[in-house]
């Protein structure tokens, strides 16, 4: 299967196709496990060059997907997730180069020690094997996921959303071109060649072929994956991100961060969905903060205290707390103190990303200590919830679970480990 697949032929025998993908991925993973880092990095650089060379093809494929998305009635925020532009294509290529430039995550000695009996132990990073990535409308995930799997020595089976079918195919072709140029098996990065949702069901039960599934998308997708998967899953629930403006917040910093956290890109998982304001901040800065957001086109859904600050505020319903809008909508509430903010986040958050705006070290420390979200920030926008901003080059998603990986999942997080033990004719008494 290559990136040139034109459409999702309904005549496909989906179980047979998926079984074939699994067999080929398993064989490719065995080769990647001992392929030198230099070859994997060369493939990433060649793929980046192919993306730049084929920019016109990628944008043309994306135009087809955008037309499809509009016909389906996607929201403006979802269309923004789907849209590719020349700068976004360039960013994909740059992301692959940054991943290539990173230290090889495979073969790292994580720990080493010697026992009194002379046995020497090394705990060494190894690839996970075959990673299945199921994602929705963002076509750049094709490059990010494929590149990170390759860097970490894993084979990948990518299943993009129906909206991004053609864009993903064009990008996938570039990844396979990079693999061939470096003398690595093209099957190391495969793409599910159909929009048929039955392919997702097959992936979730491919024990023995897929070692871990990573879903990247909305609540419906992630819920299905968690409910039906028979292979391990790196969970990524909704990005219900909160910003708490404390009484000791610097007004200028706070307004700048709040505006960016909500409006920079509303359709990404790091977009702020709820603003919590200390009653003192609300009294002094609340009206100006709300006016800034509303004037920028944000609909505020607030409690009674927030409504009193600006007549344009829409009354919030109970369903608005803990809701991922992915749009120019922000829930807002006035709270008594940092503990009340923490309680609200614990009740309504998704353990993704939260920010505290304060100049009070004690408040920041309490916020950091009492919350268990994957990413906690102080005086910085929640939009930094991104692997590239962490220095990972790219990410395959934000893991909100507590097993194996948390936060941005980069190449290092896509490794496991094994123990290498050396003796000298050593026997156990």
């Amino acid at each position: 299967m290559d990136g040139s697949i034109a459409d999702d032929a309904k005549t496909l025998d989906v179980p047979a196709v998926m079984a074939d993908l699994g067999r080929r991925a398993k064989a490719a993973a065995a080769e990647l496990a001992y392929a030198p880092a230099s070859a994997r990095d060369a493939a990433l650089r060649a793929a980046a060059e192919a993306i730049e060379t084929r920019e016109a093809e990628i944008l043309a494929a994306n135009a087809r997907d955008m037309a499809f998305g509009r016909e389906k009635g996607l929201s403006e925020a979802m269309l923004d997730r789907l849209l590719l532009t020349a700068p976004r294509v360039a960013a994909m290529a740059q992301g692959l180069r940054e991943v290539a430039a990173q230290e090889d995550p495979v073969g790292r000695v994580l720990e080493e020690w010697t026992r009194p009996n002379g046995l020497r132990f090394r705990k060494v990073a190894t690839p996970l094997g075959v990673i299945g990535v199921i994602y929705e409308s963002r076509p750049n995930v094709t490059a990010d996921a494929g590149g990170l799997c390759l860097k970490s020595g894993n084979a990948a089976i990518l299943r993009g959303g129906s909206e991004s079918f053609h864009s993903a195919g064009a990008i996938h072709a570039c990844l396979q071109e990079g693999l061939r140029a470096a003398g690595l098996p093209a099957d190391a990065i495969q793409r599910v060649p159909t929009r048929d949702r039955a392919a997702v069901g097959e992936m979730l039960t491919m024990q023995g072929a897929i070692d871990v599934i990573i879903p990247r998308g909305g609540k419906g997708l992630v819920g299905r994956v968690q409910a039906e998967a028979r292979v391990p899953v790196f969970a990524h629930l909704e990005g219900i991100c909160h910003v708490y403006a404390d009484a000791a917040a610097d007004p200028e910093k706070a307004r700048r961060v709040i505006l960016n956290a909500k409006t920079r890109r509303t359709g990404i998982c790091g977009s702020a969905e709820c603003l919590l304001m200390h009653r003192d901040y609300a009294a002094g800065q609340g009206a100006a903060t709300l006016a800034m957001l509303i004037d920028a086109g944000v609909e505020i859904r607030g409690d009674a205290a927030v409504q009193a600050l600006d007549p344009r505020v829409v009354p919030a319903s109970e369903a608005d707390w803990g809701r991922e809008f992915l749009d120019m909508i922000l829930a807002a509430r006035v709270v008594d103190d940092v503990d009340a903010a923490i309680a609200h986040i614990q009740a309504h958050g998704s353990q993704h990303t939260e920010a505290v705006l304060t100049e009070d070290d004690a408040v920041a420390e309490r916020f950091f200590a009492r919350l268990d979200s994957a990413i906690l920030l102080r005086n910085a926008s929640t939009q930094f919830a991104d692997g590239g901003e962490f220095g990972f080059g790219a990410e395959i998603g934000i893991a909100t679970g507590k097993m194996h990986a948390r936060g941005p999942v980069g190449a290092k997080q896509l490794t496991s480990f094994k123990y290498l033990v050396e003796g000298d004719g050593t026997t156990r008494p």
Side-chain angles (χ1 to χ4, degrees):
M1 309 297 171
D2 63 29
S4 64
I5 295 164
D7 213 333
D8 55 333
K10 293 297 183 182
T11 56
L12 283 179
D13 181 343
V14 173
V17 167
M18 297 307 297
D20 182 57
L21 289 181
R23 284 191 294 271
R24 291 159 60 182
K26 203 73 176 175
E31 287 193 50
L32 284 183
Y34 58 80
S38 58
R40 287 182 271 123
D41 292 343
L44 289 166
R45 289 191 293 270
E49 184 174 341
I51 284 173
E52 291 174 337
T53 301
R54 297 190 183 194
E55 178 189 294
E57 295 173 40
I58 293 170
L59 293 178
N62 186 246
R64 296 177 67 186
D65 289 335
M66 290 294 291
F68 180 78
R70 291 189 186 97
E71 288 175 11
K72 286 186 64 176
L74 294 185
S75 69
E76 287 303 315
M78 294 304 292
L79 287 171
D80 178 65
R81 291 167 74 98
L82 177 60
L83 176 66
L84 289 177
T85 61
R88 290 183 183 182
V89 172
M92 279 194 290
Q94 180 59 25
L96 289 175
R97 290 193 176 97
E98 289 176 4
V99 170
Q102 292 174 2
E103 176 189 3
D104 183 15
V106 179
R108 291 173 296 131
V109 178
L110 305 174
E111 297 179 57
E112 56 185 325
W113 65 94
T114 301
R115 295 287 294 154
N117 60 6
L119 285 179
R120 297 180 298 280
F121 290 78
R122 283 180 293 152
K123 181 180 178 181
V124 178
T126 59
L128 292 169
V130 177
I131 298 176
V133 187
I134 304 172
Y135 51 103
E136 293 184 321
S137 56
R138 292 179 66 183
N140 64 293
V141 176
T142 306
D144 291 348
L148 288 169
C149 288
L150 176 57
K151 177 70 177 185
S152 52
N154 296 290
I157 298 176
L158 309 178
R159 201 282 182 180
S162 61
E163 299 89 349
S164 61
F165 187 82
H166 299 293
S167 306
I171 296 165
H172 174 249
C174 297
L175 295 173
Q176 290 203 315
E177 183 176 325
L179 288 165
R180 294 188 186 98
L184 294 175
D187 286 343
I189 304 174
Q190 297 183 82
R191 182 176 77 102
V192 175
T194 178
R195 285 187 171 112
D196 194 329
R197 289 172 61 86
V200 174
E202 292 294 324
M203 286 183 72
L204 300 180
T205 59
M206 288 171 64
Q207 294 166 294
I210 293 178
D211 294 285
V212 66
I213 291 281
I214 302 178
R216 181 162 176 173
K219 189 175 183 178
L221 169 65
V222 178
R224 180 188 178 190
V225 170
Q226 291 183 315
E228 299 180 16
R230 297 294 179 267
V231 296
V233 174
F234 283 178
H236 173 167
L237 296 177
E238 296 172 288
I240 304 170
C241 305
H242 296 78
V243 176
Y244 167 57
D246 184 54
D250 177 282
E252 183 180 344
K253 288 181 189 177
R255 284 195 295 271
R256 185 166 65 245
V257 169
I258 291 167
L259 185 65
N260 182 267
K262 179 66 253 183
T263 66
R264 175 186 166 271
R265 289 189 70 185
T266 58
I268 65 174
C269 62
S271 175
E273 304 292 13
C274 183
L275 171 64
L276 302 171
M277 296 184 287
H278 188 287
R279 61 174 181 262
D280 293 342
Y281 178 90
Q285 303 296 328
T289 299
L290 295 176
M292 170 193 68
L293 290 164
I294 294 170
D295 291 346
V298 179
E299 176 185 312
I300 304 294
R301 299 183 182 179
D303 65 2
V306 173
Q307 293 171 53
L309 295 170
D310 193 304
R312 295 172 292 176
V313 172
V314 176
S317 69
E318 193 59 33
D320 290 324
W321 313 122
R323 182 171 175 181
E324 188 179 32
F325 297 106
L326 297 174
D327 205 344
M328 288 286 275
I329 302 171
L330 182 67
R333 166 172 278 174
V334 173
V335 295
D336 288 337
D337 53 25
V338 66
D339 287 337
I342 290 167
H344 178 97
I345 295 169
Q346 289 172 333
H348 301 288
S350 60
Q351 295 190 318
H352 191 291
T353 300
E354 332 294 349
V356 56
L357 309 179
T358 187
E359 301 304 308
D360 186 327
D361 291 344
V363 167
E365 289 170 9
R366 192 170 186 85
F367 191 88
F368 281 5
R370 299 291 178 98
L371 287 172
D372 195 28
S373 298
I375 304 170
L376 296 168
L377 305 111
R378 178 184 181 183
N379 294 333
S381 171
T382 55
Q383 299 259 345
F384 283 105
D386 178 273
E389 298 300 326
F390 277 58
F392 295 172
E395 69 175 38
I396 206 166
I398 304 287
T400 55
K402 297 185 179 180
M403 300 300 289
H404 185 77
R406 294 199 82 194
V409 177
K412 285 185 178 179
Q413 289 74 32
L414 294 178
T415 60
S416 183
F417 58 84
K418 60 186 176 185
Y419 292 103
L420 306 181
V421 186
E422 297 179 86
D424 186 21
T426 311
T427 60
R428 182 173 178 177

